[in-house]
């Protein structure tokens, strides 16, 4: 059990560092298109967040509860948001599925990542 708690904490720390770094790089999306490698990294961070949520719910079902129940909601919103932002890459799964895809999806990615920074901070501080 302690190994799962340690892994959950380690992944949380990785997200706490990776999401603001992605947001800083993503700010370039306001002025120019973001490279494909950026979206690949974003999708990788999204999968880390999804794994983090799965571990969190496993710990919850095992009887370990966060200090604040909103921690679970914030984590779920962060994972889902990062997953959808990664799909906004031109030609990506979410971009293709939109009826009228945006001409400049990188602006929405940049804004979404700024929101994700707030979410990752809320997730971290409500779970402590």
């Amino acid at each position: 059990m302690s190994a799962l708690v340690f892994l959950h904490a380690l992944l949380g720390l990785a997200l706490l560092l990776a999401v603001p770094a992605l947001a800083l790089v993503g700010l370039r999306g306001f002025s120019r298109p973001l490279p494909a490698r950026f979206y690949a990294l974003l999708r990788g961070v999204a999968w880390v967040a999804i794994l983090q949520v799965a571990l969190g719910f496993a710990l919850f079902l095992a009887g370990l509860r966060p200090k604040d129940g909103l921690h679970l909601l914030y984590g779920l919103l962060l994972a889902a948001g990062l997953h959808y932002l990664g799909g906004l890459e031109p030609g990506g799964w979410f971009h293709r599925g939109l009826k009228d895809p945006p001409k400049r999806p990188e602006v929405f990615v940049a804004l979404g990542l700024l929101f994700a920074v707030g979410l990752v901070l809320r997730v971290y501080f409500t779970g402590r």
Side-chain angles (χ1 to χ4, degrees), residues 8-96:
H8 186 72
L10 187 64
L11 290 176
L13 186 59
L15 287 171
L16 189 63
L17 296 172
V19 171
L22 277 173
L24 281 175
V25 174
L27 288 175
R28 293 185 346 194
F30 285 117
S31 61
R32 62 183 155 210
L34 295 167
R37 286 178 34 185
F38 174 83
Y39 286 101
L41 186 60
L42 177 57
R43 285 190 303 273
V45 171
W47 279 107
V48 169
I50 291 168
L51 177 61
Q52 172 81 351
V53 167
L55 280 172
F57 277 100
L59 291 170
F60 182 82
L61 293 175
L64 295 173
R65 306 287 193 255
K67 181 177 74 171
D68 188 348
L70 284 174
H71 176 76
L72 301 168
L73 177 63
Y74 291 139
L76 193 59
L77 285 174
L78 177 66
L82 290 174
H83 180 64
Y84 279 96
L85 288 175
L88 262 180
E89 176 182 14
W93 69 271
F94 186 49
H95 190 265
R96 283 190 323 263

